[in-house]
Amino acid sequence: MAKILILGGSFAGLTAALDLKRKLKDKADITVISKTKNFVFIPSLIWVPFGWRKPEDISFEIKPMLEENGIETVETDLGEFIVQLAGEMPSHITAPAMHKSRDEIGKLFSEKLGVEYTNEPEKLTSIAREFLRHKFLNADLGISGANFLIAETGSVVIVENEGNAGLSTTLPKIHIVITGIEKVIPRLADLTVFFKILGRSATAQRFTSYVSIINAPKKSKPDSPEEIYVILLDNGRTNLLKSEKLKQALYCIKCGACMLACPIYQRVGGHAYGSIYLGPIGSVLTPAQFGLDKATPLPFASSLCGKCYEICPVKIEIPHLLVWLRSQAVNSGFTSRFEKLIFKLWLIGMKNHKLYKFGSKFLRYFYKLGIKPKFKKWSSERAFPELAEKSFKEIWEKLKETEA
């Protein structure tokens, strides 16, 4: 029987635990957990609005679940707040609203928050701060992720630049930490290494503006929650850990450096990946965690230039992993027959010099007649690149004749 974990105390009441237990008594074994000092591991199945599914099939859709139970959720990171108002997904892991201009943000704030339009960054920030400060002061529950979990001390480490995480984890009476199992590091002393590489790789800072190391609730202090819960999320990570080839993807510290270096990401943006994981590392994590059959195109969305590996602070061999995933996709029959035919024809042409030369002239002849190849999904949004009048080989042979 499927299992669902519900946190006890006030949170259980907020999520209508008893009502949910009554509705799902034949479908799930409901476990209600009250005050606990230990880490809690998400069981085999979790509840999302789309029904019961295995963790490797989905991401942890907690916001829709909370909103479905009548709980207002507010993103407090400025970029996340902007994309939440717009009803969009983040386009970058550390700069979620990178795809929006200040004019677009000004219009969004005017429409959603009922303020006067402005496109000045300082004023836009002040508007968001004023709106969010009221939410902070009246929140019953704060939910955060974690950059690191320290096994030696049981500490939760959150790194940020805006101060919103500090407010989210101290002002509400209850703080819930939801983070992946790969975030656990052995010792407190290991943090110094990660602090150096995370700030410099994510935002080119020597050190981030704020670091919170949370150990336990302090009821006697006004700036601390009364209860803290830590949930370690699997969502396919243990399956990833079993793979000798792919387990290095769990080394990722989510700095986002590979995205900014990737020529494909620069061209198509983050939304094209259709996942919470973006860019080169997303092209590995999404198919590896949620199924290659559901994300077949992602490993192919790379030029294999190697820039992601060069800039990665933990040296994940992303290009090699992408090539391996491509081979798995082909061997598993996830690619189309038409695609296989195209590559076979391309291989024949590349192996035969005369055939390649004929094909090149043939294509240029059609171009001169104004006939260009059309690919329905690709060419509907993009212009097909123009061919040069002469091929490189023709130019090279002409140059040799001139020098002779």
Side-chain angles (χ1 to χ4, degrees):
M1 183 179 287
K3 294 181 180 180
I4 181 171
L5 178 72
I6 299 180
L7 300 177
S10 302
F11 184 61
L14 287 171
T15 53
L18 295 177
D19 182 53
L20 193 60
K21 187 170 184 176
R22 177 180 57 81
K23 290 179 180 177
L24 302 176
K25 63 180 181 179
D26 298 324
K27 295 182 180 179
D29 178 18
I30 305 283
T31 304
V32 178
I33 297 194
S34 57
K35 297 177 183 178
T36 176
K37 295 180 181 178
N38 300 321
F39 285 162
V40 179
F41 196 81
I42 289 289
S44 57
L45 291 175
I46 57 179
W47 173 254
V48 291
F50 314 111
W52 289 99
R53 302 183 189 178
K54 293 182 179 180
E56 57 265 28
D57 293 341
I58 54 173
S59 61
F60 190 56
E61 297 280 357
I62 190 169
K63 282 198 295 183
M65 183 269 288
L66 291 174
E67 289 167 358
E68 195 175 72
N69 284 277
I71 303 169
E72 180 187 9
T73 61
V74 180
E75 293 284 0
T76 58
D77 174 271
L78 181 56
E80 294 281 3
F81 176 63
I82 291 168
V83 296
Q84 184 187 29
L85 284 180
E88 299 173 355
M89 289 285 288
S91 60
H92 189 270
I93 199 164
T94 59
M98 179 187 287
H99 60 289
K100 287 199 168 295
S101 68
R102 61 183 186 177
D103 292 330
E104 290 174 324
I105 296 169
K107 290 176 183 176
L108 181 68
F109 279 13
S110 178
E111 178 188 341
K112 298 291 185 178
L113 304 180
V115 297
E116 186 180 349
Y117 170 79
T118 178
N119 65 354
E120 295 181 32
E122 296 82 1
K123 290 184 179 180
L124 291 171
T125 305
S126 297
I127 292 169
R129 183 184 290 117
E130 184 178 349
F131 178 84
L132 291 172
R133 190 57 54 95
H134 174 74
K135 298 294 183 181
F136 281 127
L137 294 173
N138 292 279
D140 298 309
L141 173 73
I143 300 177
S144 75
N147 292 94
F148 309 103
L149 298 174
I150 305 171
E152 180 185 52
T153 60
S155 305
V156 176
V157 182
I158 301 175
V159 178
E160 55 164 333
N161 278 315
E162 298 180 21
N164 61 297
L167 293 171
S168 300
T169 58
T170 56
L171 291 177
K173 292 182 179 180
I174 301 173
H175 174 208
I176 297 176
V177 183
I178 303 175
T179 189
I181 58 176
E182 79 279 11
K183 300 289 185 177
V184 181
I185 62 174
R187 302 168 302 157
L188 186 64
D190 298 326
L191 268 181
T192 54
V193 176
F194 288 103
F195 281 159
K196 286 180 181 179
I197 61 176
L198 181 57
R200 293 175 185 181
S201 299
T203 53
Q205 294 172 278
R206 293 184 65 184
F207 206 78
T208 50
S209 301
Y210 302 98
V211 175
S212 301
I213 300 179
I214 303 166
N215 292 300
K218 301 289 184 182
K219 295 181 181 180
S220 59
K221 293 186 178 182
D223 61 342
S224 180
E226 296 176 4
E227 300 175 35
I228 297 177
Y229 299 90
V230 179
I231 299 175
L232 293 180
L233 189 64
D234 183 356
N235 263 14
R237 289 169 175 82
T238 49
N239 291 334
L240 198 59
L241 192 61
K242 292 175 186 176
S243 171
E244 285 297 321
K245 191 73 177 178
L246 294 173
K247 67 179 181 181
Q248 61 173 298
L250 292 175
Y251 301 163
C252 178
I253 58 174
K254 308 297 188 294
C255 67
C258 63
M259 301 173 198
L260 297 178
C262 177
I264 304 299
Y265 176 89
Q266 291 173 12
R267 186 71 176 174
V268 302
H271 292 148
Y273 291 84
S275 169
I276 55 173
Y277 301 119
L278 316 171
I281 191 63
S283 296
V284 174
L285 286 174
T286 300
Q289 284 187 233
F290 306 128
L292 186 55
D293 57 325
K294 298 177 179 63
T296 305
L298 291 184
F300 296 90
S302 173
S303 63
L304 301 178
C305 65
K307 285 187 177 181
C308 51
Y309 172 71
E310 290 175 9
I311 203 167
C312 178
V314 292
K315 293 302 175 189
I316 301 171
E317 296 178 334
I318 297 176
H320 293 289
L321 298 183
L322 291 174
V323 171
W324 186 81
L325 284 170
R326 289 180 183 185
S327 68
Q328 295 299 302
V330 173
N331 294 336
S332 301
F334 296 147
T335 53
S336 67
R337 292 181 180 178
F338 179 72
E339 183 178 325
K340 291 177 181 178
L341 175 63
I342 291 294
F343 275 106
K344 282 182 180 179
L345 293 175
W346 175 83
L347 183 63
I348 293 169
M350 293 300 289
K351 284 183 174 181
N352 190 310
H353 169 69
K354 291 182 179 179
L355 192 60
Y356 177 86
K357 193 173 182 179
F358 171 77
S360 177
K361 289 183 177 180
F362 186 73
L363 191 60
R364 281 185 174 79
Y365 174 74
F366 272 92
Y367 255 63
K368 287 179 181 179
L369 296 176
I371 302 172
K372 297 181 181 180
K374 287 189 177 182
F375 302 98
K376 189 176 179 181
K377 292 183 179 180
W378 196 91
S379 56
S380 62
E381 300 291 337
R382 304 169 184 84
F384 202 85
E386 295 292 334
L387 290 180
E389 290 186 7
K390 293 183 179 181
S391 69
F392 173 78
K393 286 188 175 182
E394 289 173 338
I395 296 172
W396 182 254
E397 289 172 0
K398 186 75 174 177
L399 185 63
K400 287 197 296 184
E401 289 176 6
T402 305
E403 290 178 350

